[in-house]
Amino acid sequence: MSYEKREQLYEGKAKKVYATDDPQVVIVSYKDDATAFNGLKKGTITGKGAINNRMTNNLMRRLEEKGVPTHYVEELSDRETAVKKVSIVPLEVIVRNISAGSFAKRYGVEEGIVFDEPTIEFSYKNDDLGDPLLNTYHALALKLATKEEIALIEKYTFMVNDLLKGFMKEIGIDLVDFKLEFGKTADGTIVLADEISPDTCRLWDEKTHEKLDKDRFRRDMGGAEEAYEEVMRRLMGE
Ligand code: UDP
């Protein structure tokens, strides 16, 4: 079964979404556009769209095999993938295994502290408000999800962390932290959605601790293209 793009439904910072003839399926198209700091910093990482598309699909297929339900349907091309149409739960779910980024800043600690246990946190997915941090009580008060949905999201998130840490370890990478988004299909099923890529994960080489992720763009370090390609090469052997 293959799907054809119909009208554009949405354009986000890194992806466009198109309708298909199947009301249950949409097509995501990954762009090379990169943004950081809630859209304040803009740029391009050449080749990123294709890498993030193919890497996300590779990881989603492997997560699905291990029992994490995902929105993945079919890879259509380098940049385009058919996924289940979902309404996105407006929570950004962040897991951390090692201190970095806003955690290090918020709590005044250095980057690189390896935690005994992973942490989980939620942000309210709302660009106008700058994605403020919230806890599950706040999420319930704002009716962003039900208690049962949040419990399921937490369960899937820790499963993803265990699996993803393993997939990355196999290719010599430490999974520092990452962000997940979940969606709800028409029948109310919670599935993993959005992407899993160097845009949404911090990935450090386990030996050199070299950054292989979007921090190279955020921090003007250079070599973002090469870093994304390196992760792709290790993951998919190309
Ligand atoms: N992250 C993301 N989108 C966001 C915020 C964070 O994908 O809008 C990812 C980010 O790439 C990192 C993790 O979530 O892997 C934790 O990010 P953090 O809270 O440290 O924020 P940052 O330092 O990126 O602003």
Side-chain angles (χ1 to χ4, degrees), residues 95-101 103 111-115 174-177 202 204:
V95 174
R96 301 175 191 275
N97 298 302
I98 299 176
S99 66
F103 181 96
E111 297 198 310
I113 303 166
V114 179
F115 303 149
D174 283 331
L175 177 63
V176 176
D177 58 25
R202 282 196 173 91
W204 294 354

Side-chain angles (χ1 to χ4, degrees), residues 22-75:
D22 183 337
Q24 317 255 45
V25 175
V26 295
I27 292 173
V28 288
S29 177
Y30 286 72
K31 306 191 283 183
D32 284 354
D33 298 356
T35 64
F37 313 118
N38 201 22
L40 282 177
K41 182 179 167 77
K42 289 194 175 71
T44 303
I45 301 174
T46 307
K48 166 173 99 73
I51 290 174
N52 288 3
N53 179 48
R54 300 193 49 222
M55 181 169 163
T56 295
N57 294 341
N58 175 288
L59 295 170
M60 290 247 182
R61 286 190 294 255
R62 291 161 76 183
L63 291 170
E64 188 92 48
E65 272 172 25
K66 302 283 187 187
V68 180
T70 78
H71 72 165
Y72 177 77
V73 176
E74 183 188 350
E75 188 168 285

Side-chain angles (χ1 to χ4, degrees), residues 165-180:
K165 252 194 330 196
F167 300 159
M168 291 300 161
K169 205 70 200 168
E170 284 170 16
I171 57 171
I173 288 175
D174 283 331
L175 177 63
V176 176
D177 58 25
F178 59 95
K179 184 259 311 179
L180 299 179

Side-chain angles (χ1 to χ4, degrees), residues 37-146:
F37 313 118
N38 201 22
L40 282 177
K41 182 179 167 77
K42 289 194 175 71
T44 303
I45 301 174
T46 307
K48 166 173 99 73
I51 290 174
N52 288 3
N53 179 48
R54 300 193 49 222
M55 181 169 163
T56 295
N57 294 341
N58 175 288
L59 295 170
M60 290 247 182
R61 286 190 294 255
R62 291 161 76 183
L63 291 170
E64 188 92 48
E65 272 172 25
K66 302 283 187 187
V68 180
T70 78
H71 72 165
Y72 177 77
V73 176
E74 183 188 350
E75 188 168 285
L76 302 174
S77 70
D78 252 17
R79 280 176 194 271
E80 293 179 345
T81 297
V83 300
K84 289 176 196 154
K85 184 169 189 170
V86 297
S87 57
I88 292 287
V89 177
L91 291 172
E92 298 200 341
V93 187
I94 292 171
V95 174
R96 301 175 191 275
N97 298 302
I98 299 176
S99 66
S102 67
F103 181 96
K105 200 168 167 200
R106 192 184 320 134
Y107 301 119
V109 296
E110 74 265 34
E111 297 198 310
I113 303 166
V114 179
F115 303 149
D116 292 338
E117 297 285 338
T119 69
I120 188 168
E121 69 201 49
F122 299 100
S123 298
Y124 179 20
K125 191 173 152 63
N126 183 320
D127 279 340
D128 293 339
L129 300 175
D131 297 340
L133 200 62
L134 46 64
N135 65 32
T136 53
Y137 295 96
H138 300 141
L140 289 173
L142 293 168
K143 297 194 168 32
L144 305 183
T146 66

Side-chain angles (χ1 to χ4, degrees), residues 102-232:
S102 67
F103 181 96
K105 200 168 167 200
R106 192 184 320 134
Y107 301 119
V109 296
E110 74 265 34
E111 297 198 310
I113 303 166
V114 179
F115 303 149
D116 292 338
E117 297 285 338
T119 69
I120 188 168
E121 69 201 49
F122 299 100
S123 298
Y124 179 20
K125 191 173 152 63
N126 183 320
D127 279 340
D128 293 339
L129 300 175
D131 297 340
L133 200 62
L134 46 64
N135 65 32
T136 53
Y137 295 96
H138 300 141
L140 289 173
L142 293 168
K143 297 194 168 32
L144 305 183
T146 66
K147 252 188 189 165
E148 294 72 25
E149 287 165 353
I150 292 174
L152 205 53
I153 285 172
E154 288 193 353
K155 182 181 114 175
Y156 291 152
T157 297
F158 283 120
M159 282 172 72
V160 170
N161 185 46
D162 285 342
L163 292 163
L164 210 52
K165 252 194 330 196
F167 300 159
M168 291 300 161
K169 205 70 200 168
E170 284 170 16
I171 57 171
I173 288 175
D174 283 331
L175 177 63
V176 176
D177 58 25
F178 59 95
K179 184 259 311 179
L180 299 179
E181 294 183 24
F182 290 85
K184 245 163 91 167
T185 60
D187 69 3
T189 308
I190 295 279
V191 296
L192 179 63
D194 196 48
E195 65 179 283
I196 306 173
S197 72
D199 270 13
T200 62
C201 302
R202 282 196 173 91
L203 303 170
W204 294 354
D205 182 274
E206 69 175 354
K207 293 211 178 74
T208 65
H209 302 296
E210 193 189 357
K211 295 186 198 311
L212 300 172
D213 57 58
K214 197 166 128 183
D215 272 347
R216 302 203 76 89
F217 168 78
R218 289 190 192 97
R219 302 179 186 189
D220 293 320
M221 299 168 73
E225 280 85 0
E226 292 76 7
Y228 280 61
E229 280 161 18
E230 174 66 17
V231 176
M232 174 80 165

